């Protein structure tokens, strides 16, 4: 009983740490290398403290970042006691430590069970916000090297053991890659496309799902959308070429990627819609609600694209001939309606639903 009481007191003391990390006025004096190392050591040795410590380290960044961007502007007394310039200096100070802290977060993330480590990714993202572009690129290259080694090890294990273990490290590293996408410089986009092209071929649904997310995540950025548009032909071929190896659990992520590609299609690439529309139609009857919703959204995006390119784009109806049809919403309905004469009742039913 006494041990439980002591443990409760210890837990209560640790629960105070995030509050000390909220806009501290003595950060540059108190958050020393020694203190940071002690916290990092506890992240490794005390799994039960990871949530508290990560939230505290995240709070250090977020509180100063928000304050420097104008938060609490109405608090005149706070501004007199703690000027915005001090918060900016704190962020500069944390930037000098972010690269080493990120390395620790990455290692801890790989050692934490998949169901209870989302908070670590949130902490990683906070520190990515203040890390220099040069350090981010260097860190990303290190992650890519680890990912390459992990995939090679997975391939070796699959050859030696048909019932090999789930490639947990590879999917974990892909989580980190996806988190870093928003902060990568354009010079790293080619490596992202290379990762996508390689990991999409994996038979593992965890890896497949994350592979498709790379395209969806990248397209959220203006520079990322431009990069996707530049490599649109290769991405189309990769998506179409892997249509027969899609795992059920990764179908929603694949549809999101298809939706992204459809929205970025140039007028002379509308044939991609013809090639994937049957897959999207079938997905409208999927057992997973999220997959169905994304399938309907993708069909609508296809219709909007065909209507937008009306009078400009053309569709090649047969790969073996040069017959083309003008792109318009009427032609899109004709393409979708072909499913009504499908060989399976499932295809007919899906077409009616679509």
């Amino acid at each position: 009983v006494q041990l439980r009481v002591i443990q409760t007191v210890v837990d209560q003391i640790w629960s105070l740490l995030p509050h000390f990390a909220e806009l501290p006025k003595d950060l540059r004096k108190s958050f020393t290398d020694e203190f940071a190392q002690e916290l990092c050591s506890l992240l490794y040795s005390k799994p039960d403290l990871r949530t508290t410590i990560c939230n505290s380290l995240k709070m250090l960044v977020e509180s100063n970042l928000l304050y420097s961007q104008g938060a609490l502007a109405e608090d005149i007394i706070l501004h007199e006691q703690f000027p915005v310039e001090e918060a900016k200096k704190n962020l500069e100070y944390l930037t000098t430590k972010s690269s080493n802290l990120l390395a620790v977060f990455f290692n801890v993330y790989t050692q934490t069970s998949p169901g209870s480590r989302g908070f670590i990714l949130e902490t990683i993202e906070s520190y990515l916000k203040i890390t220099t572009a040069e350090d981010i690129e260097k860190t990303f290259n290190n992650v890519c090297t680890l990912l390459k080694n992990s995939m090679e090890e997975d391939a070796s294990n699959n050859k030696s053991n048909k019932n090999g273990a789930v490639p947990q490290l590879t999917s974990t590293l892909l989580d980190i890659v996806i988190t870093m996408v928003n902060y990568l410089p354009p010079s790293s986009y080619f490596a992202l496309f290379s990762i996508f092209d390689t990991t999409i071929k994996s038979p593992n649904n965890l890896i497949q799902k994350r592979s498709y997310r790379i395209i969806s995540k990248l397209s959220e950025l203006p520079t990322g959308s431009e990069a996707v548009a530049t490599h649109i032909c290769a991405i189309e071929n990769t998506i179409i070429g892997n249509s027969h190896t899609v795992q059920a659990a990764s179908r929603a992520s694949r549809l999101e990627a298809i939706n992204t590609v459809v929205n970025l299609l140039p007028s002379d690439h509308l044939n991609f819609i013809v090639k994937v529309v049957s897959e999207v139609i079938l997905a409208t009857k999927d057992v997973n609600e999220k997959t169905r919703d994304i399938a309907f959204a993708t069909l609508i995006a296809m219709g909007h694209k065909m209507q937008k390119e009306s009078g400009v784009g053309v569709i090649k109806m047969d790969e073996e001939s040069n017959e083309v049809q003008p792109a318009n919403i009427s032609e899109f309905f004709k393409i979708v309606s072909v499913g009504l004469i499908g060989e399976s009742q499932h295809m007919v039913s899906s077409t009616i639903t679509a």
Side-chain angles (χ1 to χ4, degrees):
V1 175
Q2 187 176 5
L3 182 61
R4 291 180 180 177
V5 172
I6 294 174
Q7 185 60 49
T8 300
V9 173
V10 170
D11 292 341
Q12 290 174 340
I13 293 173
W14 272 108
S15 68
L16 297 174
L17 184 60
H19 301 285
F20 282 103
E22 186 174 358
L23 209 62
K25 299 176 183 177
D26 60 343
L27 186 148
R28 301 192 298 279
K29 179 180 178 181
S30 300
F31 194 64
T32 61
D33 288 338
E34 291 75 16
F35 183 57
Q37 288 173 3
E38 183 64 28
L39 289 178
C40 291
S41 177
L42 288 170
L43 282 174
Y44 286 115
S45 60
K46 301 287 185 181
D48 55 318
L49 291 178
R50 287 175 182 173
T51 303
T52 300
I53 294 175
C54 281
N55 287 338
S56 302
L57 292 173
K58 174 187 172 184
M59 182 62 70
L60 280 179
V61 174
E62 293 294 339
S63 60
N64 281 281
L65 195 59
L66 290 173
Y67 188 67
S68 66
Q69 293 173 348
L72 303 175
E74 71 284 353
D75 194 332
I76 300 175
I77 296 177
L78 177 60
H79 276 262
E80 288 181 355
Q81 296 176 344
F82 188 67
V84 173
E85 288 71 22
E86 288 297 308
K88 292 180 179 179
K89 290 179 181 178
N90 285 346
L91 289 173
E92 291 174 1
Y93 179 75
L94 289 171
T95 297
T96 63
K97 301 182 182 300
S98 62
S99 183
N100 291 331
L101 286 172
L102 282 172
V104 173
F105 296 148
F106 291 167
N107 287 331
V108 172
Y109 184 75
T110 61
Q111 297 173 12
T112 308
S113 60
S116 57
R117 60 186 183 184
F119 64 92
I120 303 177
L121 279 183
E122 293 176 1
T123 307
I124 289 172
E125 189 155 11
S126 292
Y127 278 83
L128 287 172
K129 293 176 183 177
I130 63 170
T131 305
T132 62
E134 182 181 354
D135 285 340
I136 286 179
E137 187 170 13
K138 188 183 300 183
T139 302
F140 176 69
N141 290 337
N142 292 336
V143 173
C144 287
T145 300
L146 292 173
L147 180 61
K148 179 176 179 293
N149 294 338
S150 177
M151 293 184 67
E152 289 176 351
E153 184 177 344
D154 291 341
S156 177
N157 290 338
N158 288 337
K159 288 181 180 179
S160 59
N161 181 13
K162 292 183 179 179
N163 296 319
V166 175
Q168 193 68 55
L169 180 58
T170 300
S171 60
T172 296
L173 291 171
L174 282 173
D175 279 337
I176 295 174
V177 168
I178 293 169
T179 303
M180 296 184 73
V181 166
N182 284 347
Y183 307 94
L184 291 176
S187 58
S188 297
Y189 290 167
F190 183 79
L192 279 178
F193 290 126
S194 178
I195 292 172
F196 167 71
D197 187 61
T198 303
T199 54
I200 198 177
K201 300 170 184 174
S202 172
N204 180 266
N205 59 11
L206 294 175
I207 296 176
Q208 265 193 22
K209 186 186 299 183
R210 287 156 176 78
S211 180
Y212 286 114
R213 283 179 184 168
I214 291 175
I215 299 300
S216 304
K217 191 79 170 177
L218 189 59
S219 68
E220 296 174 1
L221 306 171
T223 54
S225 293
E226 292 175 6
V228 172
T230 302
H231 295 81
I232 198 75
C233 187
I235 294 172
E236 287 176 38
N237 292 334
T238 301
I239 290 177
I240 294 170
N242 290 276
S243 59
H244 299 295
T245 60
V246 183
Q247 301 293 317
S250 61
R251 190 167 290 127
S253 296
R254 175 179 168 86
L255 288 171
E256 286 182 342
I258 290 175
N259 196 339
T260 296
V261 173
V262 167
N263 288 319
L264 296 173
L265 283 175
S267 58
D268 58 341
H269 279 246
L270 298 181
N271 214 47
F272 175 75
I273 293 177
V274 179
K275 294 179 180 178
V276 299
V277 70
S278 60
E279 177 185 348
V280 179
I281 290 172
L282 286 171
T284 62
K285 298 287 283 185
D286 196 89
V287 294
N288 185 283
E289 182 180 0
K290 181 181 177 182
T291 301
R292 295 197 302 271
D293 290 342
I294 298 173
F296 284 122
T298 304
L299 279 173
I300 293 171
M302 288 176 170
H304 283 312
K305 190 67 178 181
M306 294 285 278
Q307 187 175 31
K308 181 181 177 181
E309 300 295 340
S310 179
V312 180
V314 294
I315 305 170
K316 191 174 183 181
M317 303 305 294
D318 190 344
E319 291 294 335
E320 298 179 358
S321 70
N322 293 321
E323 181 187 356
V324 296
Q325 293 289 344
N328 52 54
I329 192 65
S330 176
E331 194 62 38
F332 179 63
F333 272 103
K334 291 179 183 178
I335 294 170
V336 173
S337 299
V338 170
L340 293 173
I341 57 173
E343 296 180 358
S344 67
Q345 288 296 319
H346 185 59
M347 184 64 191
V348 175
S349 175
S350 299
T351 303
I352 294 172
T353 302

